[in-house]
Every structure is written in C-alpha cells, then in structure tokens.
C-alpha cells in the first residue's frame, strides 16, 4: 500500500519594497526568476500557490497571478490544471537564451556607442552606472 507524500513546497525568499519604483508583480517575478536561474528552485519543484503567496506577501492575488503569468510566458514555469505552478525542467536553456539576448543588447550598445564616439572605458562606465541604478 502506497502512502501519500505531499509535494514539498520550496521556501521562496521574496521581499517586497513598497517604496520601490518597480511594480510589485515585477519585484516578485524578478526574485523568483533569480531563484530558478541560480538553482535554489529546482526543476519540476512546485511553487507556492498564487493565493498563498499573495497572503504571505500581503498583496492581491491579481499581483501574484501577473508575476506567475509573466514567468510562464518567459518559459521559466509551467501550470498543471488543478495542481499549481512548477519550475520548468530546463532552466539552463532559459539562462542560455538570456545570455544570447544580453550579447545582442551589448552588440547594439557597442554600435551605438561607437556612433556616439564613446570608447570602451566610457561604455563600461555607462554599463556600471545602469547596473547600479537597477540594483538599488
């Protein structure tokens, strides 16, 4: 006779800042995405339900639904009707796609930087400024 073993819900470490210019759903999405890409959330692992996450974070279900929908559209999670949302199996593939997108954005930035007369050091300085803006 088999015994039922409930799926273990991962502890998603998400912090919301009400003072941030970044919308709440985007803050949630960014943090879940980071946890998937760095392996803290494993492939096929169930995510906290949208309702439970909304309660935990004291936000609306619409907010968590938007974050999960965006993550699904980006190929990071999938939904099983009646069971919930799960981490997609191949996060490494998604990571490679992001790296390809970054490379393309860098190529465009280099072309535009050269057209504006910037040298490599000036481009790097601008990248660092933007990086620090986004991290704060």
């Amino acid at each position: 006779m088999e015994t039922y073993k409930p799926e273990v819900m991962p502890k998603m470490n998400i912090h919301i800042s009400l003072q941030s210019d970044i919308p709440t759903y985007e803050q949630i999405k960014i943090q879940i995405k980071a946890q998937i890409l760095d392996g803290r959330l494993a492939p096929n692992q169930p995510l906290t339900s949208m309702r439970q996450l909304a309660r935990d974070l004291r936000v609306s279900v619409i907010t968590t639904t938007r974050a999960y929908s965006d993550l699904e559209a980006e190929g990071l999670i999938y939904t099983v009707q009646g069971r919930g949302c799960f981490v997609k199996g191949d996060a490494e593939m998604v990571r490679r796609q992001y790296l390809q997108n970054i490379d393309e954005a860098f190529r465009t930035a280099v072309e535009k930087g050269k057209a504006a007369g910037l040298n490599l050091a000036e481009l790097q300085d601008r990248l660092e400024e933007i990086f620090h803006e986004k991290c704060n």
Side-chain angles (χ1 to χ4, degrees):
M1 181 169 157
E2 287 185 45
T3 59
Y4 173 72
K5 293 182 183 176
E7 294 170 330
V8 177
M9 289 292 174
K11 176 65 177 146
M12 294 194 302
N13 191 12
I14 299 173
H15 301 282
I16 301 301
S17 170
L18 299 176
Q19 288 75 39
S20 175
D21 292 334
I22 301 170
T24 304
Y25 78 89
E26 187 76 19
Q27 292 179 54
I28 294 167
K29 182 179 91 170
I30 289 167
Q31 292 177 61
I32 293 173
K33 182 188 303 186
Q35 292 176 47
I36 291 170
L37 293 177
D38 72 13
R40 283 179 281 166
L41 295 173
N44 300 311
Q45 192 170 23
L47 298 178
T48 304
S49 76
M50 289 179 242
R51 281 184 169 69
Q52 183 61 52
L53 185 59
R55 277 192 295 270
D56 293 348
L57 298 175
R58 295 188 175 120
V59 298
S60 77
V61 174
I62 294 169
T63 299
T64 56
T65 300
R66 172 81 187 268
Y68 278 32
S69 294
D70 285 2
L71 288 166
E72 189 163 20
E74 291 182 28
L76 291 166
I77 67 173
Y78 64 96
T79 303
V80 176
Q81 189 72 21
R83 295 200 51 224
C85 295
F86 299 81
V87 176
K88 209 151 199 188
D90 193 0
E92 185 56 37
M93 179 195 70
V94 174
R95 186 174 191 282
R96 284 192 306 271
Q97 289 173 341
Y98 280 125
L99 291 175
Q100 287 175 348
N101 291 343
I102 290 168
D103 290 346
E104 185 58 37
F106 282 166
R107 284 184 189 90
T108 300
V110 168
E111 288 171 13
K112 291 184 178 195
K114 286 175 83 173
L118 299 178
N119 63 33
L120 178 59
E122 291 168 320
L123 274 171
Q124 287 173 327
D125 288 344
R126 295 188 66 78
L127 175 61
E128 285 183 26
E129 285 175 29
I130 293 167
F131 180 84
H132 292 296
E133 281 175 16
K134 290 291 184 183
C135 290
N136 294 331

